[in-house]
Amino acid sequence: MTSGSNNSNTGNNNSSGNTELKCDRGILLNSNLTAKSIFDDSLYSIDNLNIMQRDSSGFMETKKNGIYAEKISLSGQMLYSEYLPIYNLSLTEIETDEQSKPVDYNLNSSGLYTTKTYQKQNNGWPLGYLTTSSNLKLSLASFNDKCNFSVNKLDYTFESIDLSGKKIKDILPNNILTSYPKAVEYTYINDQVGNILKREDKALNNLMNSTDTFPQGSIVYLPKSAIYDDNQFSFSEDNVTNNQTLDEWFNELYGKSSYKYKHDKVGGLNVIYSVDSNGNAVFSFGADPAIEKDGKIYDGEWSIKGDILSPTYGLQNSNTPDYINYETPSEHALFNKTAYEFISAQIQTYYK
């Protein structure tokens, strides 16, 4: 089966352009790329995971949470993930959660894409595709059955930061011991990881007072921009509603709100989503879209065109200035092996 994404590389000087990409149930079997990339060596992201369970009333609650790393490795143009527990999580818990990913459907202007063949491979869990690369500039797309490069495609520009000789406290907000820092105050580690570290006062104090330093060659890659060039919708069979029409869905959820919505057709499907006063798509974490497929109405999630790291990306609310409708570079930080191993060892030294 030929990848539906061959045109993604048309005119790109970073690929040979001579190889027909072949896709087998979401796995790219060959590569068109020749340029260097930060993924030439495995990189690591550090994140948190909430393990959920239903309480006696049937509502979902957090059973436990912890910190783990995602090791990202490149094979051809395929990116694979391997999971490494750091604190308060087991590998089984992480991989059980991973089995529920990704969502069933992704929708953009190119069409509707499925993830029916998602499963662990010999190289790890298929994360997606490196679609273009030129050192610190690259594009990533998420896994789908057709290996289509348009699915959740993000165009990144990274910067490389040398952490050699720095202490662990240097990658955490300087006020983490005395308050709950805002998300934008976390430069290298996402704020949810920081909140977990704050649960143990003694351990955090010891961590922040550690005199150990990052070894030579410790690098973190931080994105300066992360741009979607298309509106991206996602939804699953679990998101089917009881509504009969998109208008009924809107009236039930947002009819009494201040949000403005409009009907549109994306990739051949009818959708409804939030817009500004000029009728342009506008992102807010509180205003989800809906999608009509096969006569059913689905609750969805979405990302709109633009730089998701820009403070102007999403709708801003002057009444809640600390609440942001964009993502922070720390949520996309990638560490090399030397930096990751130091961070992991430091956390495990003080958090038992």
Side-chain angles (χ1 to χ4, degrees):
M1 179 169 62
T2 302
S3 166
S5 57
N6 291 340
N7 291 336
S8 297
N9 284 337
T10 300
N12 176 13
N13 294 328
N14 301 319
S15 63
S16 65
N18 297 322
T19 303
E20 181 183 32
L21 293 175
K22 298 186 182 298
C23 177
D24 181 10
R25 292 164 291 181
I27 304 300
L28 272 179
L29 303 180
N30 55 351
S31 172
N32 250 338
L33 295 184
T34 58
K36 287 187 174 295
S37 158
I38 61 174
F39 288 106
D40 288 347
D41 295 312
S42 295
L43 296 177
Y44 301 75
S45 66
I46 297 175
D47 208 343
N48 71 295
L49 174 64
N50 295 323
I51 304 297
M52 308 300 292
Q53 66 178 9
R54 292 193 181 278
D55 63 16
S56 57
S57 302
F59 292 100
M60 296 300 293
E61 63 178 3
T62 300
K63 177 182 178 182
K64 64 183 292 191
N65 53 23
I67 302 170
Y68 71 97
E70 180 180 3
K71 178 183 178 182
I72 303 172
S73 302
L74 183 66
S75 176
Q77 282 184 246
M78 280 297 305
L79 290 165
Y80 292 94
S81 295
E82 177 184 346
Y83 296 97
L84 306 167
I86 296 177
Y87 168 64
N88 204 38
L89 290 171
S90 69
L91 179 59
T92 298
E93 288 172 326
I94 300 170
E95 292 204 328
T96 298
D97 180 78
E98 183 62 27
Q99 288 172 358
S100 66
K101 301 176 183 176
V103 296
D104 294 331
Y105 305 107
N106 289 286
L107 176 70
N108 58 35
S109 62
S110 298
L112 180 69
Y113 299 94
T114 59
T115 57
K116 296 177 182 178
T117 58
Y118 181 75
Q119 60 182 340
K120 190 175 183 180
Q121 308 289 319
N122 291 335
N123 290 330
W125 296 90
L127 176 63
Y129 319 100
L130 178 64
T131 68
T132 64
S133 67
S134 180
N135 292 317
L136 295 174
K137 291 187 176 183
L138 54 91
S139 297
L140 305 180
S142 64
F143 174 87
N144 61 92
D145 295 329
K146 293 184 178 180
C147 305
N148 189 282
F149 285 1
S150 74
V151 176
N152 294 321
K153 184 172 79 73
L154 263 177
D155 299 322
Y156 282 103
T157 298
F158 282 92
E159 60 179 327
S160 174
I161 298 174
D162 189 352
L163 298 176
S164 305
K166 294 184 181 295
K167 299 175 183 178
I168 192 73
K169 70 176 183 179
D170 294 324
I171 68 167
L172 293 168
N174 56 20
N175 61 343
I176 192 172
L177 286 173
T178 57
S179 64
Y180 278 88
K182 302 173 185 177
V184 295
E185 295 179 284
Y186 284 86
T187 303
Y188 304 104
I189 300 288
N190 83 57
D191 62 310
Q192 296 303 312
V193 171
N195 288 338
I196 292 176
L197 294 176
K198 278 189 65 66
R199 290 192 318 216
E200 303 288 342
D201 291 340
K202 182 178 179 180
L204 179 59
N205 186 70
N206 290 336
L207 184 71
M208 293 295 285
N209 286 297
S210 172
T211 58
D212 294 336
T213 58
F214 279 91
Q216 287 297 311
S218 297
I219 301 294
V220 60
Y221 297 99
L222 282 181
K224 296 191 290 185
S225 63
I227 299 171
Y228 284 110
D229 63 4
D230 196 2
N231 295 334
Q232 303 281 347
F233 298 79
S234 61
F235 59 103
S236 290
E237 287 299 330
D238 291 343
N239 304 134
V240 175
T241 72
N242 293 322
N243 303 118
Q244 300 301 307
T245 67
L246 291 172
D247 284 331
E248 181 182 310
W249 173 90
F250 170 77
N251 289 330
E252 180 178 312
L253 293 182
Y254 299 106
K256 296 181 180 180
S257 74
S258 60
Y259 292 116
K260 295 181 175 62
Y261 270 64
K262 83 169 185 179
H263 290 267
D264 200 356
K265 188 176 286 289
V266 176
L269 297 184
N270 293 320
V271 301
I272 189 171
Y273 55 77
S274 57
V275 295
D276 60 20
S277 57
N278 296 317
N280 299 316
V282 63
F283 178 81
S284 172
F285 284 116
D288 292 329
I291 302 96
E292 181 180 4
K293 177 182 175 293
D294 298 330
K296 300 176 182 178
I297 306 300
Y298 293 81
D299 283 321
E301 302 284 345
W302 73 329
S303 298
I304 67 171
K305 293 180 184 179
D307 183 358
I308 60 174
L309 305 181
S310 170
T312 62
Y313 176 74
L315 184 67
Q316 298 304 301
N317 188 337
S318 58
N319 295 324
T320 55
D322 292 341
Y323 184 80
I324 60 174
N325 271 314
Y326 60 94
E327 298 183 23
T328 62
S330 62
E331 296 176 71
H332 299 257
L334 296 169
F335 298 89
N336 71 355
K337 182 180 180 181
T338 304
Y340 152 71
E341 288 181 342
F342 176 78
I343 295 169
S344 178
Q346 286 282 285
I347 293 174
Q348 291 174 349
T349 295
Y350 300 110
Y351 288 79
K352 305 298 185 182

